[in-house]
């Protein structure tokens, strides 16, 4: 008997213009447009295998080896139902196997900590939608699929593309014009790299979903942001990306991160996502840029923070060695830095042991103990979802996970 199965992976994205606030909580329609960089799946990804079979009793989902409930009317169910509806359309128009009615088993795995301030829901829902779309052989574009993944997790719509991606907020009440579009592919600016500083891998105190709705209800600053600030920033950062103008890209990225956290602070009661370590990393990046500009150079790095304390530092590839050395100088690492791009000469150079840049004021932050930054992930701009072959499938011959937690 035929096996109907597909496996796909999808990337993490980290926003430069932040999405924070919904105008429709059911359809997940945002109060403002947003823009992100897709990160390389060779370092951070969610992988999902989907299989449908008439012998299955019901729809089931396993995440990182643990079964999760698919609640009727919940975000998972909404995505699955919408993909099923599209499959039924395909079956009505063409002579295709009638598999839409079969129950489905879904197994998903993230190769990084879930809910740790890294966007696991974004890559997770993008992988789920990509996997089921491949299973159902849907003739849908990434933008069309982003309409579905958006209803699982807002930022997931941006993980349907590689490179530099905008989520256009749209205006229609039904959400049909609120989807992701590619601003520029990965190959346009491949020198864009990122250093993720994992400050905490604990679950967040205030979830994004509840936090952002409290902001919408109580923050006057958010109303100013969405009406007067974001539209111009979206236009300006798109121009900067197309021109590969890192100075402008960096300024806008840091300003928007700062304003997002100001809006969180303006919420009643206030929300604090950053901690002392987060703020010290900001101080180091600001000082690195000040010293460079004062010496006649350019901005070297841009920090950004999502709803958590972890820092993401964007920079051109040529600046990463200096940035990694700076971070490790102030935040010593218990584990040897994994150097995927061979920035440091093996056996001769060690991160944290090289001199700081000329003119850098080393008093801008104190040096922390081991463990303040738990780990560093050096990655770069990456591609969109990939359909994988069966050798990477997460389900066994009987349609159950190969590994359970």
């Amino acid at each position: 008997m035929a096996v109907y199965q597909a496996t796909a992976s999808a990337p993490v994205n980290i926003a430069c213009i932040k999405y924070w606030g919904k105008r429709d909580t059911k359809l997940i329609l945002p109060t403002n447009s947003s823009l992100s960089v897709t990160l390389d799946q060779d370092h951070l990804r969610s992988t999902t295998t989907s299989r449908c079979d008439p012998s299955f009793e019901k729809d089931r989902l396993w995440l990182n080896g643990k079964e999760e409930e698919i609640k009727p009317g919940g975000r998972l169910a909404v995505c699955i139902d919408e993909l099923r509806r599209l499959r039924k359309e395909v079956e009505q128009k063409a002579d295709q196997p009638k598999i839409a009615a079969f129950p489905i088993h879904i197994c998903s795995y993230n190769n990084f900590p879930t809910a740790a301030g890294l966007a696991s829901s974004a890559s997770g829902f993008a992988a789920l939608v990509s996997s089921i779309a491949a299973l159902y052989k849907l003739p849908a574009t990434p933008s069309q699929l982003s309409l579905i993944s958006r209803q699982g997790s807002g930022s997931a719509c941006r993980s349907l593309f590689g490179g530099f991606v905008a989520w256009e907020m749209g205006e229609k009440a039904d959400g049909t014009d609120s989807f992701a579009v590619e601003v520029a592919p990965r190959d346009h600016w491949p020198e864009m790299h990122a250093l993720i500083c994992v400050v905490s891998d604990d679950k967040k105190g205030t979830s994004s979903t509840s936090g952002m709705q409290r902001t919408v209800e109580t923050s006057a600053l958010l109303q100013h942001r969405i009406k007067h600030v974001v539209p111009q920033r979206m236009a300006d950062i798109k121009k900067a990306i197309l021109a590969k103008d890192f100075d402008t890209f960096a300024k806008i990225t840091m300003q928007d991160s700062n304003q997002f956290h100001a809006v969180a602070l303006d919420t009643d009661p206030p929300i604090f996502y950053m901690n002392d370590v987060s703020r010290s990393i900001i101080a180091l990046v600001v000082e690195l840029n000040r010293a460079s500009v004062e010496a006649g150079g350019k901005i070297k790095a841009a920090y950004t923070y999502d709803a958590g304390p972890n820092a993401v530092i964007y920079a051109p590839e040529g600046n990463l060695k200096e940035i990694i050395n700076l971070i490790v100088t102030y935040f010593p690492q218990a584990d040897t830095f994994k150097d995927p791009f061979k920035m440091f000469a093996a056996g001769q150079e060690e991160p944290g042991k090289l001199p700081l840049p000329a003119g850098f004021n080393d008093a801008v932050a104190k040096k922390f103990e081991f463990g303040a930054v738990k780990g560093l992930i050096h990655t770069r701009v990456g591609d969109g979802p990939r359909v994988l072959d069966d050798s990477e499938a997460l389900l066994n011959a009987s349609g159950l996970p190969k590994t359970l937690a």
Side-chain angles (χ1 to χ4, degrees):
M1 186 173 164
V3 174
Y4 300 105
Q5 176 173 288
T7 300
S9 66
V12 167
N13 74 74
I14 301 290
C16 302
I17 304 293
K18 303 298 187 186
Y19 149 57
W20 194 252
K22 302 180 184 79
R23 66 179 193 273
D24 184 313
T25 55
K26 178 66 180 152
L27 291 172
I28 308 191
L29 301 179
T31 52
N32 61 269
S33 296
S34 55
L35 184 142
S36 58
V37 181
T38 298
L39 301 182
D40 195 337
Q41 289 172 77
D42 290 347
H43 307 124
L44 298 165
R45 68 186 171 278
S46 296
T47 304
T48 301
T49 298
S50 305
R51 185 190 300 185
C52 60
D53 195 281
S55 72
F56 295 163
E57 292 177 8
K58 62 175 184 175
D59 294 346
R60 296 175 74 182
L61 170 89
W62 294 265
L63 174 59
N64 293 328
K66 290 169 75 171
E67 186 160 13
E68 305 269 332
E69 184 186 359
I70 302 175
K71 293 174 183 157
R75 293 178 178 192
L76 276 165
V78 166
C79 290
I80 295 166
D81 290 348
E82 187 61 17
L83 291 158
R84 267 207 178 102
R85 185 185 66 76
L86 294 177
R87 172 65 192 186
K88 283 175 185 162
E89 286 181 7
V90 169
E91 292 172 1
Q92 285 162 3
K93 289 177 189 167
D95 184 22
Q96 292 283 341
K98 303 290 190 283
I99 62 173
F102 296 170
I104 192 165
H105 283 191
I106 304 160
C107 187
S108 191
Y109 175 76
N110 301 323
N111 72 343
F112 55 91
T114 304
L118 293 178
S120 57
S121 61
S123 57
F125 274 102
L128 177 132
V129 168
S130 299
S131 169
I132 300 176
L135 166 71
Y136 285 163
K137 295 185 165 52
L138 299 180
T141 65
S143 284
Q144 288 168 328
L145 291 178
S146 79
L147 288 164
I148 301 172
S149 63
R150 184 203 76 222
Q151 295 175 68
S153 169
S155 53
C157 73
R158 298 190 307 250
S159 280
L160 264 296
F161 288 93
F164 303 82
V165 187
W167 174 11
E168 303 295 357
M169 64 179 284
E171 295 174 357
K172 295 179 182 175
D174 66 0
T176 51
D177 60 348
S178 183
F179 52 78
V181 294
E182 182 186 81
V183 174
R186 169 179 66 168
D187 296 345
H188 167 72
W189 202 358
E191 303 82 11
M192 180 69 78
H193 277 227
L195 182 70
I196 301 171
C197 305
V198 181
V199 175
S200 167
D201 54 8
D202 297 331
K203 215 170 164 73
K204 292 181 291 209
T206 303
S207 78
S208 303
T209 303
S210 62
M212 69 172 67
Q213 286 321 106
R214 240 169 58 206
T215 302
V216 169
E217 290 158 13
T218 63
S219 171
L221 182 57
L222 180 73
Q223 299 309 315
H224 173 75
R225 166 176 169 74
I226 62 186
K227 290 182 186 122
H228 303 293
V229 180
V230 171
Q232 189 62 53
R233 280 188 184 159
M234 283 291 291
D236 292 345
I237 201 166
K238 285 177 186 174
K239 275 190 210 155
I241 289 164
L242 293 174
K244 297 194 266 196
D245 171 4
F246 184 76
D247 267 47
T248 302
F249 171 90
K251 284 176 188 168
I252 295 171
T253 295
M254 291 187 283
Q255 286 168 354
D256 208 72
S257 177
N258 293 345
Q259 190 176 73
F260 157 52
H261 288 276
V263 159
L265 187 62
D266 190 49
T267 302
D268 186 20
I271 305 169
F272 306 95
Y273 283 122
M274 293 197 290
N275 60 22
D276 287 348
V277 175
S278 315
R279 288 184 282 272
S280 293
I281 293 170
I282 290 177
L284 295 176
V285 172
V286 168
E287 177 59 16
L288 177 70
N289 289 335
R290 183 207 61 77
S292 175
V293 171
E294 201 165 273
K298 295 192 162 196
I299 290 176
K300 290 194 165 178
Y303 60 79
T304 187
Y305 294 79
D306 283 338
N310 297 335
V312 177
I313 302 172
Y314 285 122
E317 182 178 9
N319 297 348
L320 260 292
K321 181 176 179 179
E322 187 172 57
I323 293 163
I324 294 162
N325 181 65
L326 175 62
I327 295 296
V328 178
T329 298
Y330 282 83
F331 302 99
Q333 297 296 292
D335 299 322
T336 306
F337 171 65
K338 292 184 179 70
D339 190 10
F341 299 97
K342 303 290 181 277
M343 294 274 155
F344 297 87
Q348 297 170 38
E349 297 177 317
E350 193 180 327
K353 299 288 174 69
L354 303 180
L356 295 177
F360 186 92
N361 173 11
D362 64 4
V364 293
K366 66 166 192 170
K367 295 189 177 176
F368 283 73
E369 300 291 323
F370 284 97
V373 170
K374 291 184 169 64
L376 298 171
I377 302 166
H378 180 186
T379 184
R380 63 185 170 189
V381 60
D383 59 344
R386 304 169 181 171
V387 176
L388 309 175
D389 65 34
D390 267 349
S391 67
E392 299 194 60
L394 302 174
L395 293 169
N396 64 23
S398 59
L400 296 171
K402 289 179 178 175
T403 52
L404 288 167

